[in-house]
Amino acid sequence: MLIIIFTLIWGIALFIFLVYSLISLLFRMISYPRDFYHFAGNQQPAKIDRNLQYYVIVPCFNEAAVIQRTIKCLLRFKQFEIVVVDDASSDDSVSQIKQITNSRVHLLRRYLPNAHTGKGDVLNFALDYICQITIRQRVPFEKVIIGVVDADAQLADNALQRLNAYFSSPRTNVTQMRVKMYPHFKNWLQILQDIEFFSINHMAQIMRMYTKTVGLSGNGQFFRLAPIIDKIGAHPWGNALLDDYELTIKMMLKKLHVDYMTDTYVYQEALTSPKRFVRQRSRWVQGDLNCLKYLPQIIKSRVLSRTQKLGIYYFLLQPWLNFLADVAIII
């Protein structure tokens, strides 16, 4: 009897996963080719807004090996101001950053005991600085675009072109770029991560565009400052380990849906070590659990549609489905 019960649990978990995957695949095959120009940045605006000011936040903690490469790649985009936040690194990250002498690079430093309190605090710290600059320069928040790029990341060559095409419309608010691993794979684990992000997650995000449930990925997210400050506040990021999806939930509850960029990418390093991979996924699961505190608001919300609620429920349910499926297999 016990075996039958756990077999049913495993079957239900597998069924939910396969149905979600199949729906994502169908949207990718049928809807996306027809609606390519409806996705963020693929439109051809009548006029590009030359008054947009981009600030790209780069959180940094012990990234001495890669931080220079990331900053130099971002400096290729002439409209970008790069705000690097060092979170009390113990390596020579700061000295590596200081070697880049460019007025568009802004180095902010957090010191212990006020450092190491989470990525959300780092991003909010940078946003305070950006708001002070824009107020001092009397730049309208509607013209200020905030981006978040990881310390090991690089944007595709057409990234700024797509961003300008998207944000030149005053009706646009938030977008997430397609994520890809750097194409210099050393083992199968890196290849599988590239398949996961560039293909599987890509199909899921396309489906979410139609259901208005696109999730921020933490790397390659861009938003207009004004609606975020007005509807969420001066410190939009929270303390969940999954800070990107926590911000996604906050946006959705305030009727701000995230758009998805399919035709430009943000590259990031794939993990080579299984141990680090497991640690990363464990943090994601814990971050997912952190977001459960929003469940009562989601259930009671009259702003969210039923489809949006189902999308959020599925995302928050994934760790539990995986856990139950694993226990069922073991038993």
Side-chain angles (χ1 to χ4, degrees), residues 10-23:
W10 178 81
I12 291 169
L14 181 63
F15 176 78
I16 293 172
F17 170 76
L18 290 177
V19 167
Y20 189 85
S21 301
L22 178 61
I23 293 172

Side-chain angles (χ1 to χ4, degrees), residues 11 99 111 119 158 227 299 318:
Q99 288 176 24
Y111 298 93
K119 185 179 177 182
N158 67 338
I299 294 170
Q318 284 184 71

Side-chain angles (χ1 to χ4, degrees), residues 16 52 56 69 94 96 98 102 107 117 129 137 158 187 203 207 217 230 273 293 295 298 311-312 328-329:
I16 293 172
L52 295 174
V56 180
R69 179 192 66 187
V94 171
Q96 292 290 323
K98 286 183 175 180
N102 190 301
L107 173 61
T117 56
Y129 172 79
Q137 295 177 347
N158 67 338
N187 57 30
M203 290 190 293
M207 180 193 69
S217 298
D230 292 344
S273 162
K293 64 184 178 182
L295 199 55
I298 295 165
I312 297 173
I329 290 170

Side-chain angles (χ1 to χ4, degrees), residues 245-301:
Y245 198 72
E246 181 180 20
L247 182 56
T248 302
I249 292 174
K250 287 182 177 181
M251 289 178 174
M252 291 174 68
L253 287 169
K254 296 296 182 180
K255 216 170 183 178
L256 290 169
H257 74 270
V258 184
D259 289 313
Y260 181 52
M261 286 191 161
T262 61
D263 205 38
T264 191
Y265 322 125
V266 56
Y267 294 91
Q268 65 186 43
E269 293 282 357
L271 299 176
T272 57
S273 162
K275 183 178 180 180
R276 291 182 63 193
F277 178 80
V278 171
R279 189 182 301 140
Q280 178 197 66
R281 300 308 161 110
S282 299
R283 287 201 309 270
W284 290 359
V285 169
Q286 188 175 343
D288 195 304
L289 299 178
N290 293 153
C291 292
L292 288 175
K293 64 184 178 182
Y294 294 98
L295 199 55
Q297 296 179 56
I298 295 165
I299 294 170
K300 296 175 184 177
S301 174

